[in-house]
Amino acid sequence: ATNAFTLTWSNPSDLSGVVGAYRRLNAAPTSPTDGVFVTTTNVLTNVSVPAAGSHTAYVWLRDAAGNADHLAARTATLRYDGEPPTNPAVVTSTSHLVAGWSGNPVVDVSWSGASDAHSGVHGYSYSWDILPSTLPDDTVDTVGDSVSSPVLSDGSSHYFHLRTRDQAGNWSPGAVHLGPFYIDLQAPAAPSNLTAIPPSWSSTNSFTVTWSNPADLSGVSGAYYKIDTPPTSDTDGMLVLGDGLTQISGIALPGQGPHPVYVWLRDKGG
Protein backbone atom coordinates (compact mmCIF):
# COMPACT_ATOMS: atom_id res chain seq x y z
CA ALA A 1 0.00 0.00 0.00
CA THR A 2 3.08 2.23 -0.11
CA ASN A 3 3.88 4.03 -3.36
CA ALA A 4 7.64 3.47 -3.18
CA PHE A 5 9.25 0.59 -5.04
CA THR A 6 12.81 -0.74 -5.21
CA LEU A 7 14.29 -2.20 -8.38
CA THR A 8 17.43 -4.36 -8.29
CA TRP A 9 19.32 -6.27 -10.95
CA SER A 10 22.58 -8.01 -11.78
CA ASN A 11 24.92 -6.05 -14.03
CA PRO A 12 26.42 -7.50 -17.20
CA SER A 13 30.15 -7.43 -17.75
CA ASP A 14 31.26 -4.07 -19.16
CA LEU A 15 34.76 -2.85 -20.03
CA SER A 16 34.46 0.55 -18.28
CA GLY A 17 31.90 -0.55 -15.70
CA VAL A 18 28.30 0.40 -15.00
CA VAL A 19 27.95 3.79 -13.32
CA GLY A 20 24.20 4.36 -13.46
CA ALA A 21 20.83 3.50 -14.90
CA TYR A 22 17.97 5.17 -16.74
CA ARG A 23 14.37 4.43 -15.84
CA ARG A 24 11.08 5.22 -17.49
CA LEU A 25 7.48 4.28 -16.63
CA ASN A 26 4.72 2.92 -18.83
CA ALA A 27 6.25 3.69 -22.23
CA ALA A 28 9.30 2.16 -23.91
CA PRO A 29 12.24 4.55 -24.30
CA THR A 30 12.85 5.95 -27.78
CA SER A 31 16.48 7.03 -27.31
CA PRO A 32 19.44 6.20 -25.04
CA THR A 33 18.67 9.15 -22.74
CA ASP A 34 14.85 8.97 -22.85
CA GLY A 35 14.46 8.45 -19.11
CA VAL A 36 15.45 9.57 -15.62
CA PHE A 37 19.13 8.90 -14.97
CA VAL A 38 20.30 7.81 -11.50
CA THR A 39 23.91 7.25 -10.50
CA THR A 40 23.88 3.73 -9.06
CA THR A 41 25.35 0.30 -9.55
CA ASN A 42 22.46 -2.15 -9.29
CA VAL A 43 19.53 -0.62 -7.41
CA LEU A 44 16.87 2.06 -7.81
CA THR A 45 14.97 3.06 -4.69
CA ASN A 46 11.84 5.10 -3.98
CA VAL A 47 10.41 4.61 -7.44
CA SER A 48 6.84 5.90 -7.38
CA VAL A 49 4.02 5.42 -9.86
CA PRO A 50 1.48 8.07 -10.91
CA ALA A 51 -1.68 6.18 -9.92
CA ALA A 52 -3.07 2.93 -8.62
CA GLY A 53 -2.85 -0.07 -10.89
CA SER A 54 -0.13 -1.96 -12.77
CA HIS A 55 2.78 -0.03 -14.29
CA THR A 56 5.71 -1.14 -16.43
CA ALA A 57 9.16 0.12 -15.42
CA TYR A 58 11.88 0.17 -18.12
CA VAL A 59 15.51 0.12 -16.91
CA TRP A 60 18.68 0.35 -19.02
CA LEU A 61 22.30 0.95 -18.05
CA ARG A 62 25.05 3.49 -18.72
CA ASP A 63 28.73 2.76 -18.34
CA ALA A 64 31.65 5.01 -17.39
CA ALA A 65 32.30 5.79 -21.05
CA GLY A 66 28.79 7.21 -21.42
CA ASN A 67 27.42 4.34 -23.44
CA ALA A 68 23.72 3.48 -23.03
CA ASP A 69 21.44 1.32 -25.14
CA HIS A 70 17.70 1.87 -24.64
CA LEU A 71 16.97 -1.15 -26.85
CA ALA A 72 18.53 -3.33 -24.13
CA ALA A 73 16.07 -2.09 -21.51
CA ARG A 74 14.60 -4.67 -19.17
CA THR A 75 11.14 -4.36 -17.64
CA ALA A 76 9.50 -4.96 -14.28
CA THR A 77 5.85 -4.61 -13.31
CA LEU A 78 5.02 -2.31 -10.40
CA ARG A 79 1.62 -2.86 -8.83
CA TYR A 80 0.27 -0.13 -6.58
CA ASP A 81 -2.98 -0.02 -4.62
CA GLY A 82 -3.41 2.72 -2.06
CA GLU A 83 -7.19 2.49 -1.83
CA PRO A 84 -9.03 0.50 0.86
CA PRO A 85 -11.36 -2.36 -0.03
CA THR A 86 -15.10 -2.29 0.41
CA ASN A 87 -16.63 -4.47 3.13
CA PRO A 88 -19.18 -7.19 2.27
CA ALA A 89 -22.60 -5.91 1.26
CA VAL A 90 -24.40 -8.87 2.82
CA VAL A 91 -23.64 -10.38 6.23
CA THR A 92 -26.11 -12.89 7.60
CA SER A 93 -26.46 -15.76 10.03
CA THR A 94 -27.38 -19.16 8.67
CA SER A 95 -28.22 -20.52 12.12
CA HIS A 96 -29.79 -17.72 14.18
CA LEU A 97 -32.19 -14.83 13.86
CA VAL A 98 -30.97 -11.40 14.86
CA ALA A 99 -32.71 -10.34 18.08
CA GLY A 100 -34.28 -13.79 18.39
CA TRP A 101 -33.73 -16.18 21.27
CA SER A 102 -31.88 -19.44 20.72
CA GLY A 103 -30.63 -22.30 22.86
CA ASN A 104 -27.76 -22.91 20.41
CA PRO A 105 -24.62 -21.15 21.72
CA VAL A 106 -22.71 -21.32 18.40
CA VAL A 107 -23.72 -18.77 15.73
CA ASP A 108 -22.86 -19.42 12.07
CA VAL A 109 -22.25 -16.33 9.93
CA SER A 110 -21.58 -15.92 6.21
CA TRP A 111 -21.01 -12.91 3.96
CA SER A 112 -20.65 -11.83 0.34
CA GLY A 113 -20.04 -8.76 -1.78
CA ALA A 114 -16.64 -7.52 -0.58
CA SER A 115 -14.69 -5.82 -3.37
CA ASP A 116 -11.45 -4.05 -4.20
CA ALA A 117 -10.84 -2.01 -7.34
CA HIS A 118 -7.18 -2.87 -7.88
CA SER A 119 -5.34 -5.63 -6.03
CA GLY A 120 -8.39 -7.66 -5.00
CA VAL A 121 -9.70 -8.87 -1.65
CA HIS A 122 -7.23 -10.90 0.40
CA GLY A 123 -9.02 -11.73 3.66
CA TYR A 124 -10.87 -10.57 6.74
CA SER A 125 -10.46 -9.79 10.42
CA TYR A 126 -13.43 -10.50 12.66
CA SER A 127 -14.39 -10.42 16.32
CA TRP A 128 -17.25 -11.40 18.64
CA ASP A 129 -18.16 -9.31 21.66
CA ILE A 130 -21.07 -7.63 23.42
CA LEU A 131 -20.66 -4.19 21.82
CA PRO A 132 -22.54 -3.08 18.70
CA SER A 133 -19.79 -1.27 16.74
CA THR A 134 -16.36 -2.74 17.48
CA LEU A 135 -13.61 -2.35 14.85
CA PRO A 136 -11.63 -5.61 14.49
CA ASP A 137 -7.83 -5.47 14.51
CA ASP A 138 -5.60 -5.58 11.43
CA THR A 139 -4.72 -9.28 11.60
CA VAL A 140 -6.21 -11.55 8.93
CA ASP A 141 -8.34 -14.23 10.62
CA THR A 142 -9.82 -15.89 7.54
CA VAL A 143 -9.70 -15.80 3.75
CA GLY A 144 -13.06 -17.58 3.50
CA ASP A 145 -16.62 -16.29 3.53
CA SER A 146 -18.07 -17.90 6.65
CA VAL A 147 -17.19 -18.49 10.30
CA SER A 148 -18.73 -19.93 13.44
CA SER A 149 -18.65 -18.16 16.78
CA PRO A 150 -17.03 -19.59 19.87
CA VAL A 151 -19.46 -20.99 22.41
CA LEU A 152 -21.40 -17.92 23.56
CA SER A 153 -22.71 -17.41 27.06
CA ASP A 154 -26.24 -16.57 28.13
CA GLY A 155 -27.15 -13.03 27.17
CA SER A 156 -28.89 -10.71 24.76
CA SER A 157 -26.00 -8.64 23.41
CA HIS A 158 -23.72 -10.84 21.29
CA TYR A 159 -22.40 -9.13 18.13
CA PHE A 160 -20.26 -10.11 15.13
CA HIS A 161 -17.87 -7.62 13.50
CA LEU A 162 -16.05 -7.98 10.16
CA ARG A 163 -13.36 -5.96 8.42
CA THR A 164 -11.74 -6.46 4.97
CA ARG A 165 -8.10 -6.40 3.76
CA ASP A 166 -6.91 -6.28 0.15
CA GLN A 167 -3.86 -7.91 -1.48
CA ALA A 168 -1.82 -4.73 -1.04
CA GLY A 169 -2.35 -4.66 2.73
CA ASN A 170 -4.98 -1.91 2.84
CA TRP A 171 -7.75 -2.35 5.43
CA SER A 172 -11.27 -1.02 5.20
CA PRO A 173 -11.49 1.93 7.61
CA GLY A 174 -14.74 0.65 9.12
CA ALA A 175 -16.42 -2.66 9.78
CA VAL A 176 -19.76 -4.33 9.18
CA HIS A 177 -21.72 -5.64 12.16
CA LEU A 178 -24.37 -8.27 12.81
CA GLY A 179 -26.43 -8.69 15.96
CA PRO A 180 -27.56 -8.75 18.62
CA PHE A 181 -27.92 -12.49 19.07
CA TYR A 182 -29.86 -13.72 22.10
CA ILE A 183 -28.61 -16.89 23.80
CA ASP A 184 -30.42 -18.76 26.59
CA LEU A 185 -28.90 -22.11 27.52
CA GLN A 186 -30.88 -22.74 30.71
CA ALA A 187 -34.21 -24.56 30.83
CA PRO A 188 -36.94 -22.85 32.85
CA ALA A 189 -37.40 -23.89 36.45
CA ALA A 190 -40.52 -25.83 37.44
CA PRO A 191 -43.85 -24.00 37.48
CA SER A 192 -45.07 -23.03 40.93
CA ASN A 193 -48.58 -23.08 42.39
CA LEU A 194 -49.74 -25.74 39.93
CA THR A 195 -53.50 -26.12 40.34
CA ALA A 196 -56.10 -28.37 38.68
CA ILE A 197 -59.58 -26.99 37.88
CA PRO A 198 -61.88 -28.37 39.08
CA PRO A 199 -59.78 -29.46 42.06
CA SER A 200 -62.00 -32.42 43.01
CA TRP A 201 -64.13 -35.04 41.28
CA SER A 202 -65.85 -33.91 38.06
CA SER A 203 -68.55 -35.41 35.91
CA THR A 204 -67.14 -33.62 32.87
CA ASN A 205 -63.94 -34.91 31.25
CA SER A 206 -62.37 -31.53 30.60
CA PHE A 207 -59.85 -30.02 32.98
CA THR A 208 -57.71 -26.92 33.25
CA VAL A 209 -54.33 -26.59 34.95
CA THR A 210 -52.91 -23.22 35.99
CA TRP A 211 -49.57 -22.21 37.45
CA SER A 212 -47.16 -19.32 38.07
CA ASN A 213 -44.10 -18.99 35.84
CA PRO A 214 -40.59 -18.72 37.26
CA ALA A 215 -38.18 -15.99 36.22
CA ASP A 216 -36.46 -16.95 32.95
CA LEU A 217 -33.94 -15.08 30.79
CA SER A 218 -35.79 -15.46 27.49
CA GLY A 219 -39.27 -15.93 28.94
CA VAL A 220 -41.71 -18.83 28.89
CA SER A 221 -43.03 -19.66 25.41
CA GLY A 222 -45.10 -22.73 26.17
CA ALA A 223 -45.58 -25.81 28.32
CA TYR A 224 -45.66 -29.58 27.98
CA TYR A 225 -48.06 -31.82 29.85
CA LYS A 226 -48.32 -35.55 30.26
CA ILE A 227 -50.95 -37.66 32.00
CA ASP A 228 -50.33 -40.59 34.37
CA THR A 229 -46.57 -41.24 33.89
CA PRO A 230 -43.56 -38.97 34.40
CA PRO A 231 -41.88 -37.69 31.24
CA THR A 232 -38.73 -39.48 30.10
CA SER A 233 -37.32 -36.64 27.98
CA ASP A 234 -37.68 -32.88 27.54
CA THR A 235 -40.26 -33.35 24.78
CA ASP A 236 -42.09 -36.42 26.12
CA GLY A 237 -45.48 -34.75 26.32
CA MET A 238 -48.07 -32.62 24.57
CA LEU A 239 -46.72 -29.13 23.76
CA VAL A 240 -48.98 -26.11 24.09
CA LEU A 241 -47.49 -22.83 22.87
CA GLY A 242 -48.15 -19.38 24.25
CA ASP A 243 -46.05 -16.40 25.19
CA GLY A 244 -45.99 -16.31 28.99
CA LEU A 245 -48.44 -19.22 29.09
CA THR A 246 -49.86 -19.89 32.59
CA GLN A 247 -52.71 -22.33 31.93
CA ILE A 248 -53.79 -25.21 29.73
CA SER A 249 -57.49 -25.93 29.21
CA GLY A 250 -59.45 -28.79 27.69
CA ILE A 251 -57.34 -31.60 29.08
CA ALA A 252 -59.19 -34.90 28.67
CA LEU A 253 -58.33 -37.95 30.79
CA PRO A 254 -58.00 -41.47 29.31
CA GLY A 255 -60.50 -42.96 31.76
CA GLN A 256 -62.31 -42.56 35.06
CA GLY A 257 -60.48 -42.28 38.34
CA PRO A 258 -57.67 -40.04 39.59
CA HIS A 259 -54.87 -39.21 37.11
CA PRO A 260 -51.70 -37.24 37.86
CA VAL A 261 -50.80 -34.54 35.34
CA TYR A 262 -47.16 -33.53 34.86
CA VAL A 263 -46.44 -30.00 33.59
CA TRP A 264 -43.04 -28.57 32.61
CA LEU A 265 -42.11 -25.39 30.78
CA ARG A 266 -40.32 -24.38 27.58
CA ASP A 267 -38.72 -20.98 27.07
CA LYS A 268 -37.98 -18.91 23.95
CA GLY A 269 -34.50 -20.38 23.80
CA GLY A 270 -36.14 -23.73 23.04
Side-chain angles (χ1 to χ4, degrees), residues 123-147:
Y124 307 90
S125 176
Y126 66 85
S127 62
W128 294 87
D129 62 20
I130 58 173
L131 301 174
S133 57
T134 298
L135 181 67
D137 62 23
D138 57 0
T139 298
V140 173
D141 297 313
T142 182
V143 296
D145 58 6
S146 63
V147 296

Side-chain angles (χ1 to χ4, degrees), residues 14 18 25 29 32 34 36 48 51 76 85 92 115 121 123 150 154 158 174 176 184 187 198 242:
D14 185 86
V18 172
L25 288 175
D34 183 23
V36 177
S48 62
T92 186
S115 63
V121 171
D154 284 344
H158 295 287
V176 287
D184 183 358

Side-chain angles (χ1 to χ4, degrees), residues 5-237:
F5 296 87
T6 298
L7 300 172
T8 63
W9 61 88
S10 298
N11 285 323
S13 60
D14 185 86
L15 182 60
S16 61
V18 172
V19 296
Y22 289 93
R23 65 174 174 85
R24 187 175 184 187
L25 288 175
N26 295 327
T30 59
S31 72
T33 58
D34 183 23
V36 177
F37 179 73
V38 178
T39 300
T40 184
T41 53
N42 65 342
V43 62
L44 294 172
T45 60
N46 295 317
V47 178
S48 62
V49 296
S54 295
H55 302 266
T56 301
Y58 296 82
V59 177
W60 63 105
L61 306 177
R62 191 178 81 178
D63 65 16
N67 300 305
D69 182 4
H70 65 289
L71 298 179
R74 295 295 183 262
T75 61
T77 301
L78 310 181
R79 299 177 176 89
Y80 173 58
D81 180 1
E83 300 175 11
T86 300
N87 282 318
V90 177
V91 183
T92 186
S93 173
T94 56
S95 60
H96 291 62
L97 295 175
V98 171
W101 286 101
S102 174
N104 178 2
V106 177
V107 179
D108 299 324
V109 174
S110 63
W111 56 88
S112 62
S115 63
D116 185 78
H118 302 291
S119 60
V121 171
H122 170 68
Y124 307 90
S125 176
Y126 66 85
S127 62
W128 294 87
D129 62 20
I130 58 173
L131 301 174
S133 57
T134 298
L135 181 67
D137 62 23
D138 57 0
T139 298
V140 173
D141 297 313
T142 182
V143 296
D145 58 6
S146 63
V147 296
S148 296
S149 75
V151 175
L152 302 177
S153 61
D154 284 344
S156 57
S157 59
H158 295 287
Y159 290 87
F160 174 71
H161 315 281
L162 185 73
R163 188 182 183 193
T164 309
R165 200 202 88 160
D166 67 17
Q167 299 281 1
N170 300 302
W171 286 94
S172 60
V176 287
H177 315 280
L178 189 65
F181 295 104
Y182 299 169
I183 305 297
D184 183 358
L185 304 178
Q186 308 301 318
S192 61
N193 304 316
L194 184 64
T195 302
I197 302 172
S200 58
W201 291 98
S202 173
S203 60
T204 301
N205 190 7
S206 180
F207 295 84
T208 296
V209 290
T210 66
W211 64 86
S212 298
N213 285 324
D216 185 83
L217 179 61
S218 60
V220 170
S221 65
Y224 289 90
Y225 73 92
K226 188 178 181 182
I227 298 170
D228 288 334
T229 58
T232 58
S233 72
D234 292 343
T235 58
D236 181 28

